[in-house]
């Protein structure tokens, strides 16, 4: 019994949402034109998830079959079949992972397109067909759960749908039905999914978290195959978003530059290195963790799980891949915590300041770049002593080496 329409056929959703659901409860819709469904259709939408990693100190290496996908549709080639999905009587939920660029309003999309090119445009067409088919029945609304990694993804998607309702001059009654009967919830998803070469086995780490900014009653519309998945219903997704960005992505950005300058290759290499590993511990526990507005016991437990994930022997996470756009990443992931220490404790956090110097070196920049508003959104030389300390760190790294400084 199909209860979920899923926009996105990639490994993440297959190893996350689809892995959680009951048999034949999901239909996959391809969000972009071109190929992509062949691998899924070749195995009749049946595959396995290989969970590999460390969980609570124990090594995990298991394979779990997934049978939740009932079918897959390419709306660019099967447009009528796509719209007929809206007529399914037991349909309850729409999920998506169309990449961060997928939730975009494209004014060139027309209501008569078969289908609209943008994901929000396609979703608007689907909701409109359902509204028409069921003659505005308020019990036929759908719960919208975007899984794209952007802050307030539900709010952003809802605003895009609203723009298409305006642009296409759809009936006010339809707008009212969407607003009253189709809640768009903000979510946060977290699981590392390397994928793998075997088309019938999607590799993923054991850890998974799905934060949904919604009443817990929403859980009843999800056809979950068991009750113990790590799904958290919260009044506000923002602290958990901040927790992930700060305690997972923040250490990544710090250790990638420092580890690279130390001659290391992977995140696991950094964690196992006596000096770099100790540095990561200080960044995470002493300088990043205090800046997140959640209970300390909860944050410590989350940080411990992050360390296990960083030590995963099955994930070969290259530092060079993390370092792409490294200054922009430092700005969003680590700079807020640096500001927090300056504002709340009146000191520069040493490990985060060292990470800033290391990232500048890796970006082939000097301390003068701290004044570049285009990079940071502000002039960082206005922070007392920051430029002089960063300059000293850069000089010492270049003359003594990063390990000596650590």
């Amino acid at each position: 019994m199909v209860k979920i329409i899923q926009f996105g056929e990639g490994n993440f959703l297959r190893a996350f949402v689809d892995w959680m659901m009951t048999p034949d409860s999901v239909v996959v819709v391809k969000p972009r034109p071109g190929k992509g469904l062949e691998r899924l259709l070749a195995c009749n939408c049946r595959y396995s998830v290989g969970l590999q990693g460390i969980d609570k100190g124990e090594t995990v290496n298991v394979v779990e079959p997934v049978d939740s996908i009932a079918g897959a549709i390419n709306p660019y080639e099967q447009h009528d079949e796509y719209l007929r999905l809206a007529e399914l009587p037991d349909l309850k939920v729409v999920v998506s992972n169309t990449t961060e660029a997928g939730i975009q309003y494209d004014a060139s999309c027309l209501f008569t397109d078969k289908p609209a090119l943008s994901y929000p445009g396609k979703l608007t067409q689907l909701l409109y067909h359902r509204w028409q088919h069921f003659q505005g029945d308020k019990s036929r609304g759908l719960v919208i759960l975007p899984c794209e990694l952007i802050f307030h993804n539900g709010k952003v998607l809802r605003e895009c749908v609203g723009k298409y309702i305006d642009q296409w001059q759809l009936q006010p009654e339809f707008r009212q039905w969407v607003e009253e009967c189709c809640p768009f919830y903000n979510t946060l998803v977290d699981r590392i999914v390397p994928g793998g070469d075997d088309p019938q086995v999607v590799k993923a780490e054991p850890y998974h978290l799905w934060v949904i900014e919604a009443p817990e009653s929403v859980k009843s519309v999800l056809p979950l195959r068991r009750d113990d998945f790590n799904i958290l219903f919260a009044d506000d997704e923002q602290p958990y978003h901040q927790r992930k960005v700060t305690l997972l992505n923040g250490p990544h950005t710090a250790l990638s530059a420092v580890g690279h300058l130390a001659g290391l290759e992977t995140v696991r290499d950094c964690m196992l290195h006596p000096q770099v590993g100790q540095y990561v511990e200080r960044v995470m526990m002493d300088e990043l963790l205090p800046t997140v507005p959640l209970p300390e016991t909860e944050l410590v437990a989350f940080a411990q799980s992050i360390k296990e994930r960083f030590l995963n022997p099955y994930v070969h996470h290259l530092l060079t891949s993390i370092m792409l756009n490294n200054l922009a990443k430092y700005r969003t992931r680590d700079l807020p915590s640096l500001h927090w220490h300056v504002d709340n404790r009146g000191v520069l956090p040493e490990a985060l300041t060292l990470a800033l110097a290391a990232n500048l070196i890796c970006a082939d920049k000097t301390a003068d770049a701290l004044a570049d508003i285009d990079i940071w959104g502000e002039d960082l030389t206005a922070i007392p002593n920051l430029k002089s300390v960063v300059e000293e760190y850069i000089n010492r790294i270049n003359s003594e080496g990063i390990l000596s400084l650590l």
Side-chain angles (χ1 to χ4, degrees):
M1 182 184 300
V2 174
K3 292 190 174 183
I4 298 176
I5 292 179
Q6 172 178 301
F7 288 86
E9 75 281 9
N11 284 328
F12 179 81
L13 286 178
R14 293 172 63 192
F16 191 80
V17 172
D18 301 332
W19 167 74
M20 299 182 188
M21 302 304 164
T22 55
D24 296 318
S25 59
V26 180
V27 171
V28 172
V29 173
K30 193 174 187 309
R32 291 171 294 276
K35 296 183 177 181
L37 294 179
E38 293 76 16
R39 192 165 69 167
L40 188 58
L41 293 172
C43 58
N44 295 316
C45 301
R46 297 294 187 258
Y47 61 95
S48 298
V49 171
L51 300 176
Q52 298 180 319
I54 303 172
D55 184 24
K56 299 179 178 64
E58 300 293 327
T59 299
V60 175
N61 190 3
V62 298
V63 176
E64 297 186 0
V66 176
D67 56 8
S68 62
I69 300 179
I73 289 177
N74 184 338
Y76 299 89
E77 300 173 359
Q78 303 165 281
H79 187 253
D80 291 342
E81 291 93 329
Y82 166 64
L83 287 183
R84 278 199 293 271
L85 293 176
E87 302 173 11
L88 294 172
D90 297 304
L91 191 64
K92 300 292 184 183
V93 180
V94 174
V95 300
S96 63
N97 189 8
T98 59
T99 78
E100 289 89 325
I103 303 183
Q104 298 282 346
Y105 170 69
D106 180 354
S108 69
C109 291
L110 303 178
F111 181 68
T112 53
D113 290 341
K114 296 184 177 183
L117 183 60
S118 77
Y119 162 51
K122 280 190 282 290
L123 177 59
T124 306
Q125 291 171 323
L126 184 83
L127 293 175
Y128 186 79
H129 188 81
R130 186 170 180 82
W131 174 75
Q132 281 194 318
H133 180 77
F134 289 107
Q135 299 179 329
D137 186 340
K138 292 188 175 183
S139 69
R140 300 295 183 171
L142 301 177
V143 171
I144 316 297
L145 299 175
C147 297
E148 289 80 359
L149 290 175
I150 61 173
F151 186 48
H152 282 163
N153 47 19
K155 177 183 177 182
V156 174
L157 180 56
R158 181 178 65 242
E159 289 172 350
C160 290
V161 169
K163 289 179 180 179
Y164 284 117
I165 294 174
D166 288 338
Q167 177 186 333
W168 295 341
Q169 299 180 347
L170 303 178
Q171 292 95 318
E173 294 82 4
F174 171 62
R175 175 189 291 278
Q176 183 178 2
W177 180 80
V178 171
E179 291 177 350
E180 294 180 0
C181 308
C182 299
F184 290 69
Y185 292 120
N186 300 320
T187 75
L188 172 70
V189 295
D190 190 4
R191 171 172 257 179
I192 297 172
V193 181
D197 298 325
D198 187 341
Q200 296 191 35
V201 180
V202 182
K203 293 183 179 180
E205 65 172 345
Y207 179 87
H208 65 282
L209 172 65
W210 195 358
V211 180
I212 304 175
E213 191 178 288
E216 192 156 3
S217 58
V218 171
K219 186 176 182 179
S220 64
V221 305
L222 295 172
L224 299 169
R225 59 185 173 89
R226 64 176 201 245
D227 290 330
D228 62 346
F229 292 113
N230 194 19
I231 303 176
L232 175 64
F233 292 88
D235 294 333
D236 185 1
E237 172 261 348
Q238 192 277 335
Y240 300 95
H241 183 94
Q242 183 179 346
R243 183 182 72 171
K244 175 183 181 290
V245 170
T246 303
L247 292 180
L248 173 68
N249 304 120
H252 262 168
T253 297
L255 70 83
S256 60
V258 170
H260 179 70
L261 293 176
L264 305 177
E265 291 187 358
T266 69
V267 172
R268 179 175 165 82
D269 292 340
C270 292
M271 298 299 291
L272 294 175
H273 190 279
Q275 290 162 286
V276 179
Q278 188 176 20
Y279 168 77
V280 176
E281 176 82 9
R282 180 170 180 182
V283 166
M284 182 183 293
M285 305 304 292
D286 296 344
E287 297 191 1
L288 292 174
L289 186 145
T291 71
V292 182
L294 286 170
E296 183 177 0
T297 53
E298 179 181 330
L299 293 173
V300 170
F302 183 75
Q304 294 300 331
S305 73
I306 293 295
K307 294 176 195 175
E308 288 187 336
R309 297 166 72 185
F310 285 178
L311 284 164
N312 191 338
Y314 299 99
V315 175
H316 193 68
H317 202 164
L318 293 173
L319 302 182
T320 50
S321 66
I322 299 172
M323 289 164 58
L324 294 173
N325 300 314
N326 67 324
L327 298 186
K329 290 177 178 176
Y330 188 96
R331 172 181 171 176
T332 58
R333 300 172 175 186
D334 291 319
L335 184 57
S337 293
L338 187 147
H339 272 300
W340 184 92
H341 282 275
V342 172
D343 295 341
N344 291 276
R345 296 181 174 176
V347 296
L348 288 173
E350 290 183 333
L352 285 171
T353 305
L354 175 59
L356 177 56
N359 273 284
L360 285 170
I361 292 173
C362 291
D364 199 25
K365 301 283 187 182
T366 68
D368 291 336
L370 295 175
D372 193 332
I373 297 177
D374 290 336
I375 295 176
W376 312 110
E378 60 181 298
D379 181 356
L380 294 186
T381 62
I383 299 176
N385 301 319
L386 181 63
K387 183 178 181 182
S388 62
V389 173
V390 168
E391 216 158 32
E392 179 190 354
Y393 283 166
I394 289 175
N395 291 335
R396 290 185 61 184
I397 292 170
N398 288 333
S399 61
E400 304 171 25
I402 189 74
L403 293 180
S404 174
L405 187 55
L406 288 178

